[in-house]
Amino acid sequence: MKPRGNGLVLLAVLGGMFLAMLDQTIVGTALPRITSELGGSTLYVWVVTAYLLTSTVTVPLYGRLSDQHGRKPLLLVGMVVFVAGSALCGAAQDMAQLIGFRALQGLGAGALLPLSMALVMDMFPPGPGRSGARVQGALGGVMGLTYLAGPFLGGLFTDHASWRWSFYVNVPLGLALIAIVVLRLPHRPGTGGGRPDYAGIAVFTVAISALLLGLTEKGMDRHTWTDAAVAGPIALALALLAVFVLVERRAASPIMPMHLFGSRTYTLVNVTSFCTAFCMYAGVVFLPRYFQESLGVSATESGLRIYPMTLAMVAGSALMGALMSRTRVYKPWLVVSPFLLVAGTLLCVNLTAHTGGVLLAGWMLLIGLGMGPMLSGLTVAAQQSVEPQYIGTASANLTFFRQIGGSVALAVGGTLYGSTVAADAPVHGLAAAHASAAAVVIPSLGVAGAVIALVALVAMPGRRLEAPAVPQSKVEAGFAS
């Protein structure tokens, strides 16, 4: 590819990832207006859950299929489905339609994040003299940027145009990105594959759907952990996941190859991804809730108030990319991150309704600087731990474990938050109770996630960055086609 072609394709890849992640955050500020216009206030949580469910379930499927059949066709399928789902969401006439179209939108979004990571590795390998590590830093920065842009754009569209533009904005941008991919991205054939792993796909889909449904019910804090609505789906999910492992071990072309977990680096990277999601969600979910419930600010303003953390995430990811590019190693820089996460989240134990804004901004900077390197560094570590034919699978599984970790964090954090508010509100008042809840939940999630991540990172073998050894004949065949 010529440099100009590389730049355009990178723009399309990063743009697609940005749109997919943006739709996880942009809807939150528009939800009150959506429910007032469409009704169905009891179903509002499913506007978020439907998207999260389908996008999480499909992430590993897209990653594995892209290894077998090439990135371009799978990326185009995801983009087309995502744009179609966005257009339908904007045109929804009732809550049931919106939830169904959000599920369709998530089916497409599941391709955009993992395939973006894999394509960056394909285009910019992190070998000596290459810019791959720096580009991975930019990739992680885009993830942080969505937490900056989502709440702001959602509030802007809702207040000055219509909530429907939170979805319609994806259509022209998505069509432009599709055109770039069609015209500029060469098709590199995958490794091929035998008969599709239909049994694995079916068992995995039902298992993860049941797990997310149970965690969602618990996260809404309407049930205890032992209630049938929570315990039933989670127990079913755990049983089916055990069956899934057995199915994958026997499959000729498994959708999630179990032998990859024989690599200590690969396993520990995914454990770290799962645990650091606790730290991320502690900040990006429960700090805005503290701002709204304890300080009484609007949803849009609460999104703006976490800018110190999200800007630090972008900066930390870019810094990680630069350090990896210069030193050719990632482990030493990753090991520093949990210490920053522990410091930032632990300081939040001092949160009250009267905590100064400048002081809290300093705590958020520590959280963001700790979280940013994880976004880019773990991606490189996961991709370096597998053979080139599994890079898409590794990227997808990393995303999958991060999203599952976030769901668990929301369920556990929601329970702690609700119980603390219920206990403190009669004594100290509602505003103080919400501050107390944030002071319990953020350190609890953040410190637990960061400490386990630190143990995993210390146990992880260190290695120098190497460009993946792709056979030259495959490269030539891909670019020729």
Side-chain angles (χ1 to χ4, degrees):
M1 293 173 64
K2 297 178 181 178
R4 180 184 172 192
N6 252 344
L8 282 173
V9 172
L10 182 61
L11 175 66
V13 167
L14 295 180
M17 187 183 75
F18 177 78
L19 291 181
M21 292 199 67
L22 185 69
D23 266 67
Q24 295 181 6
T25 58
I26 196 172
V27 176
T29 48
L31 268 178
R33 188 71 57 84
I34 292 173
T35 54
S36 68
E37 287 190 19
L38 299 184
S41 58
T42 58
L43 299 173
Y44 80 96
V45 71
W46 287 101
V47 177
V48 177
T49 301
Y51 182 87
L52 177 65
L53 181 69
T54 53
S55 61
T56 301
V57 167
T58 54
V59 158
L61 309 184
Y62 279 118
R64 182 68 182 124
L65 291 173
S66 77
D67 284 337
Q68 294 176 326
H69 305 291
R71 315 268 187 247
K72 183 173 181 176
L74 272 300
L75 182 62
L76 285 174
V77 167
M79 284 182 162
V80 169
V81 173
F82 178 79
V83 169
S86 299
L88 291 169
C89 284
Q93 298 302 306
D94 57 49
M95 191 63 81
Q97 287 185 11
L98 180 59
I99 291 169
F101 295 146
R102 280 285 281 172
L104 177 65
Q105 192 185 29
L107 287 175
L112 303 185
L113 186 58
L115 298 194
S116 297
M117 294 177 178
L119 277 166
V120 166
M121 173 64 87
D122 293 342
M123 295 164 60
F124 303 95
R130 298 174 182 264
S131 59
R134 289 195 299 272
V135 177
Q136 288 288 357
L139 196 72
V142 170
M143 297 183 199
L145 188 62
T146 60
Y147 294 105
L148 286 169
F152 172 74
L153 290 176
L156 185 69
F157 289 137
T158 301
D159 293 339
H160 300 288
S162 166
W163 62 264
R164 297 180 185 277
W165 277 100
S166 298
F167 302 107
Y168 283 146
V169 68
N170 296 327
V171 178
L173 294 176
L175 290 175
L177 298 179
I178 288 171
I180 294 174
V181 171
V182 169
L183 297 175
R184 293 286 184 177
L185 179 64
H187 171 56
R188 193 175 86 184
T191 59
R195 181 175 176 271
D197 182 18
Y198 294 120
I201 292 172
V203 175
F204 179 80
T205 300
V206 176
I208 300 305
S209 298
L211 178 63
L212 291 175
L213 289 173
L215 292 174
T216 298
E217 286 294 321
K218 188 67 197 80
M220 293 166 65
D221 203 29
R222 300 188 305 193
H223 304 278
T224 67
W225 285 102
T226 55
D227 285 350
V230 176
I234 292 177
L236 174 63
L238 294 177
L240 288 176
L241 286 174
V243 174
F244 174 71
V245 171
L246 296 176
V247 170
E248 293 302 275
R249 285 184 176 278
R250 299 187 178 193
S253 183
I255 206 68
M256 188 180 288
M258 290 293 114
H259 76 272
L260 295 180
F261 292 95
S263 163
R264 190 170 63 167
T265 298
Y266 179 80
T267 300
L268 292 175
V269 163
N270 284 304
V271 170
T272 304
S273 182
F274 177 89
C275 293
T276 51
F278 279 52
C279 307
M280 177 185 289
Y281 279 72
V284 300
V285 173
F286 292 102
L287 275 174
R289 190 168 179 181
Y290 158 76
F291 289 133
Q292 293 174 50
E293 304 291 353
S294 186
L295 306 187
V297 305
S298 68
T300 302
E301 186 179 347
S302 71
L304 296 175
R305 288 199 181 201
I306 66 167
Y307 269 27
M309 184 177 67
T310 47
L311 284 172
M313 286 170 61
V314 175
S317 180
L319 177 62
M320 181 66 177
L323 288 172
M324 288 190 296
S325 180
R326 179 175 293 273
T327 63
R328 318 309 315 161
V329 295
Y330 52 79
K331 179 177 175 177
W333 316 118
L334 282 174
V335 169
V336 173
S337 296
F339 290 99
L340 297 174
L341 290 171
V342 168
T345 55
L346 193 57
L347 284 168
C348 290
V349 76
N350 300 304
L351 271 177
T352 69
H354 308 290
T355 300
V358 175
L359 185 62
L360 181 53
W363 302 347
M364 288 191 286
L365 281 171
L366 288 174
I367 298 172
L369 288 173
M371 196 65 233
M374 295 292 187
L375 298 177
S376 52
L378 290 178
T379 301
V380 172
Q383 293 173 339
Q384 289 277 296
S385 68
V386 300
E387 297 91 343
Q389 64 266 32
Y390 293 112
I391 284 177
T393 302
S395 303
N397 288 343
L398 185 74
T399 304
F400 169 75
F401 283 107
R402 183 185 294 127
Q403 293 187 184
I404 293 295
S407 298
V408 173
L410 288 177
V412 174
T415 300
L416 282 175
Y417 198 101
S419 61
T420 305
V421 169
D424 286 8
V427 180
H428 302 292
L430 200 56
H434 280 285
S436 297
V440 170
V441 172
I442 296 171
S444 298
L445 291 178
V447 173
V451 168
I452 298 173
L454 177 61
V455 172
L457 289 171
V458 170
M460 185 174 71
R463 59 176 295 177
R464 294 186 64 81
L465 299 183
E466 302 289 345
V470 180
Q472 187 64 25
S473 59
K474 278 195 174 183
V475 176
E476 292 172 349
F479 285 117
S481 65

